[in-house]
Amino acid sequence: MLSDDVFDHKPDPDNPGWHHWNLKDETLFNGAVMGKLITRREGEKCRLRMFPERKHENLQGIIHGAVTLGLIDISMFTTMHVVGTGNAGPSVTLELSTQFIGGGDPKRPLDAVTEIMRETGKLVFVRGEVVQDDDRVAAYSGIIRKFVPREQG
């Protein structure tokens, strides 16, 4: 399970119905690169939202593909926590297949909407889309490997 000591997933007062999805140590990848992330459950899907900044743009003035990939990767773990068994850590990405469909507009929030296709004791199979309103930016599928926490002793 995700520890409240290292993770903030409280309700977001600025966005009713949404929760924070941020590490308390903002020097780690999520905070340092992605910025503020919020999430909410939508039926059997999970929506993870980021708020693009200038640093997220590429030379064409659209959201950099690496930022989109980062959002997708984080969304898979968010979905495990919000929609799945709740056991989003410790885990690792085994596979991520992504198809870029369009350019992301840095002036609009970027959402990864993910669903769990199947969850076993050790694996979680997901698929989803990155969207901005009705515009599709990417489609993806992935596999997460869950690890059983080791006994201390």
Side-chain angles (χ1 to χ4, degrees), residues 13-152:
D14 297 329
N15 297 284
W18 293 80
H19 287 77
H20 291 273
W21 191 263
N22 301 293
L23 297 171
K24 290 185 177 177
D25 182 346
E26 293 182 6
T27 65
L28 295 173
F29 180 83
N30 290 23
V33 176
M34 302 302 290
K36 178 179 178 175
L37 298 170
I38 59 175
T39 189
R40 71 179 180 200
R41 183 176 183 147
E42 297 178 349
E44 292 304 310
K45 296 182 181 181
C46 177
R47 182 178 297 264
L48 179 66
R49 174 169 288 172
M50 71 167 292
F51 301 90
E53 303 172 35
R54 172 83 174 128
K55 68 181 179 181
H56 297 122
E57 294 180 30
N58 64 18
L59 290 174
Q60 286 109 24
I62 60 176
I63 296 172
H64 196 290
V67 172
T68 302
L69 289 169
L71 181 67
I72 290 169
D73 190 64
I74 295 166
S75 78
M76 296 192 304
F77 295 89
T78 309
T79 302
M80 288 172 58
H81 180 79
V82 173
V83 177
T85 62
N87 181 19
S91 305
V92 296
T93 304
L94 286 183
E95 190 223 275
L96 176 58
S97 175
T98 306
Q99 301 79 45
F100 291 97
I101 300 168
D105 178 358
K107 294 178 178 39
R108 296 189 289 163
L110 188 67
D111 295 352
V113 182
T114 310
E115 66 181 321
I116 293 174
M117 303 309 298
R118 182 164 186 225
E119 183 169 4
T120 69
K122 293 185 180 180
L123 299 174
V124 181
F125 300 83
V126 301
R127 72 175 175 192
E129 292 183 326
V130 176
V131 297
Q132 291 181 303
D133 302 312
D134 292 332
D135 298 321
R136 289 189 179 113
V137 176
Y140 57 92
S141 62
I143 304 171
I144 301 289
R145 167 73 160 89
K146 299 186 281 186
F147 291 101
V148 177
R150 293 186 179 163
E151 300 268 337
Q152 300 292 326

